[in-house]
Amino acid sequence: MARSALTMTAATFAATAALLLTACGGGDSSPDDIKGAGTGSPSASESASPSAAPGVERPVIELPTSFQLTFEGWKSSDAKEQAVLNDAKEELRAGYAAIIANDPDSEAVAFYDTDSGHTQSKKWIKSYTDKNVTVIGKLPVFDPKVTLLDDGSTASLGYCTNESEAYTKHRKTSKVEGNPKDMDPEVYYLVTLRKSSQGVWQNASVRSERGECAK
């Protein structure tokens, strides 16, 4: 599920049938970190906290119970940082929802991405859909750290994921695959976000490196 790598490790987009479901919108990498989803009954999407200007209609994002994407510690006492966390979380949820729905052209993903970020996200999503696989299992997303830059319209977000219980599932054969046993299940992500004219924090780029999460 790793989307792009800082130093392209074995978990980058170029990997073949493994796991890596973490950040949606990643760069050149293959579904070597996806946790395949199947068809379970969809659960109501978590409503995003209002992090944009009043009147902005956000897309409704639903994930099936077969894929549990959880966010640990995604709270900040700073309202500006919380707005970044809210939108980044929804972008990630939208990316996995697109993989599960077999929809690389997801409007929800486009909503939370800049033009360049969307190109990266679509490539990441297609690394799954082109192989006819989805994601299932559990993927915790944790230890987020937001840095707001001086201009007020750019932010960086670092966070980690643990792919120990995340898998890919072939839509036709139902074959389930996970990461190799000797592969570190934790992946560190670094996201650059830009604030749109509507006040939505959109992903501009995502990089990842396996095994770089703080111990």
Side-chain angles (χ1 to χ4, degrees):
M1 317 236 87
R3 295 163 69 157
S4 62
L6 299 171
T7 60
M8 293 313 261
T9 61
T12 329
F13 285 33
T16 50
L19 290 173
L20 273 196
L21 343 144
T22 307
C24 117
D28 306 326
S29 90
S30 68
D32 104 317
D33 300 309
I34 325 173
K35 317 228 176 199
T39 54
S41 45
S43 58
S45 69
E46 305 172 26
S47 53
S49 302
S51 59
V56 175
E57 185 175 349
R58 295 173 175 279
V60 175
I61 301 167
E62 294 185 345
L63 291 170
T65 55
S66 56
F67 180 64
Q68 298 175 37
L69 185 63
T70 59
F71 296 82
E72 302 170 8
W74 280 61
K75 296 290 183 183
S76 174
S77 58
D78 184 290
K80 292 181 180 179
E81 290 186 2
Q82 188 61 54
V84 173
L85 291 171
N86 291 341
D87 286 341
K89 176 169 75 171
E90 291 304 293
E91 196 272 353
L92 188 54
R93 294 182 69 249
Y96 283 113
I99 290 172
I100 293 166
N102 200 23
D103 181 17
D105 298 312
S106 166
E107 292 183 3
V109 174
F111 179 88
Y112 286 108
D113 282 345
T114 63
D115 288 345
S116 60
H118 190 231
T119 297
Q120 190 182 25
S121 292
K122 189 170 181 178
K123 188 172 184 179
W124 172 66
I125 293 166
K126 284 177 65 64
S127 71
Y128 293 99
T129 59
D130 285 354
K131 290 183 170 61
N132 203 25
V133 297
T134 183
V135 291
I136 57 172
K138 300 177 181 179
L139 184 68
V141 188
F142 58 97
D143 200 18
K145 290 181 175 60
V146 177
T147 300
L148 290 163
L149 303 187
D150 293 340
D151 64 0
S153 62
T154 304
S156 67
L157 168 64
Y159 63 85
C160 288
T161 63
N162 188 319
E163 300 172 350
S164 298
E165 298 181 71
Y167 310 91
T168 56
K169 180 179 180 180
H170 196 277
R171 297 178 190 277
K172 194 169 185 178
T173 66
S174 295
K175 182 179 181 181
V176 174
E177 292 188 84
N179 287 336
K181 291 182 178 180
D182 60 350
M183 179 180 284
D184 193 318
E186 293 192 347
V187 182
Y188 173 76
Y189 289 90
L190 182 60
V191 185
T192 298
L193 303 99
R194 304 198 189 284
K195 197 173 186 179
S196 74
S197 58
Q198 290 183 307
V200 178
W201 284 98
Q202 298 178 313
N203 276 22
S205 67
V206 180
R207 297 186 297 166
S208 65
E209 177 133 18
R210 188 171 293 280
E212 289 302 309
C213 292
K215 302 300 182 183

